[in-house]
């Protein structure tokens, strides 16, 4: 992971003064889906809302780790990389999570499962064109990751983990197969 944490006095311009952040480049990696659960404006708003937007601030005042932590806490972000080059240009690279399945559980709650088996909420802005799993699914978006069941769980919980694991395996297989991905719209 590229991360340059500046220390006071570590970076100076030719006149011997500490430079300010002169430019911010935000890149959202949404390949191959083309869906933007989070976009450049969302990132800018998140940083502005917490007074972290770096443009014009002195380089040593910018906490890149704090910006990364904020972005990584977003449910649509897989990871982020924030760094400043020696010219005072900041780069914010965001890798978005890839939805492979939309789940509608028995309560009617909607959420996505990503390519790593983690669950994420449905976006108000964008819709991923992925198969929909519905039926007697107990899982909730309160689960943050599909995990193997634990021995001390009751049988209903073990069955649900098994179902979520099976949905993940099936959705992963479908998402990797171009023909199946085009044909499968729903899993019940």
């Amino acid at each position: 992971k590229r991360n340059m944490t500046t220390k006071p006095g570590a970076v100076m311009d030719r006149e011997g003064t500490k430079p300010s952040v002169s430019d911010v480049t935000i890149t959202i990696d949404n390949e191959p889906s083309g869906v933007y659960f989070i976009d450049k404006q969302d990132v800018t708003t998140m940083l502005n809302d917490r007074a972290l937007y770096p443009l014009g601030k002195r380089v040593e005042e910018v906490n890149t780790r704090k910006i990364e932590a904020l972005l990584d806490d977003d449910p649509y972000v897989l990871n982020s990389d924030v760094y400043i080059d020696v010219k005072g240009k900041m780069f914010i690279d965001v890798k978005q999570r890839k939805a492979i399945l939309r789940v509608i559980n028995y309560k009617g709650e909607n959420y996505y499962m990503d390519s790593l088996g983690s669950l994420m909420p449905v976006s108000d802005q964008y819709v991923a064109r992925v198969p929909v799993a519905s039926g007697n699914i107990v899982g909730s978006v309160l689960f943050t990751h599909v995990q193997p069941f634990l021995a001390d769980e009751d049988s209903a919980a073990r069955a649900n983990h098994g179902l979520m694991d099976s949905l993940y395996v099936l959705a992963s297989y479908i998402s990797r197969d171009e023909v199946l991905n085009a044909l499968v719209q729903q899993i019940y």
Side-chain angles (χ1 to χ4, degrees), residues 1 4 8 12 20 42 65 67 92 95 97 112 114 132 154-155 157 166-167:
K1 193 173 187 182
M4 181 177 134
M12 294 192 178
S20 297
D42 294 330
R65 289 190 180 134
I67 293 170
I92 301 174
K95 184 160 179 67
R97 292 169 63 184
Y112 290 110
D114 76 1
V132 175
D154 62 36
S155 61
S166 295
L167 285 172

Side-chain angles (χ1 to χ4, degrees), residues 37-65:
F37 287 112
I38 185 169
D39 60 23
K40 293 176 184 183
Q41 185 58 48
D42 294 330
V43 171
T44 301
T45 300
M46 288 170 59
L47 296 177
N48 280 330
D49 287 350
R50 289 164 187 83
L52 292 174
Y53 195 75
L55 192 62
K57 291 183 180 178
R58 291 191 349 216
V59 169
E60 72 271 6
E61 294 174 354
V62 177
N63 187 337
T64 57
R65 289 190 180 134

Side-chain angles (χ1 to χ4, degrees), residues 7 11 39 47 68 71 83 107 120 150 157 160 163-164 167 172 177:
K7 296 178 182 159
V11 178
D39 60 23
L47 296 177
E68 282 182 355
L71 294 172
Y83 55 97
K107 293 180 182 177
M120 59 188 199
L150 303 173
N160 186 59
L163 175 61
M164 296 300 283
L167 285 172
S172 295
D177 186 293

Side-chain angles (χ1 to χ4, degrees), residues 72-134:
D72 290 346
D73 280 344
D74 188 278
Y76 303 112
V77 173
L78 180 61
N79 61 27
S80 63
D81 192 19
V82 179
Y83 55 97
I84 303 171
D85 71 9
V86 294
K87 295 179 182 178
K89 293 182 181 181
M90 175 173 270
F91 297 88
I92 301 174
D93 299 330
V94 176
K95 184 160 179 67
Q96 177 175 259
R97 292 169 63 184
K98 180 185 180 232
I100 60 170
L101 182 69
R102 185 168 182 161
V103 179
I104 303 173
N105 69 11
Y106 78 104
K107 293 180 182 177
E109 297 172 329
N110 285 268
Y111 49 90
Y112 290 110
M113 182 180 290
D114 76 1
S115 59
L116 299 175
S118 295
L119 304 181
M120 59 188 199
V122 175
S123 171
D124 292 335
Q125 300 175 15
Y126 305 100
V127 176
R129 301 210 182 278
V130 294
V132 175
S134 60

Side-chain angles (χ1 to χ4, degrees), residues 161-176:
H161 278 296
L163 175 61
M164 296 300 283
D165 288 340
S166 295
L167 285 172
Y168 171 68
V169 170
L170 181 59
S172 295
Y173 184 79
I174 291 169
S175 72
R176 289 189 306 266

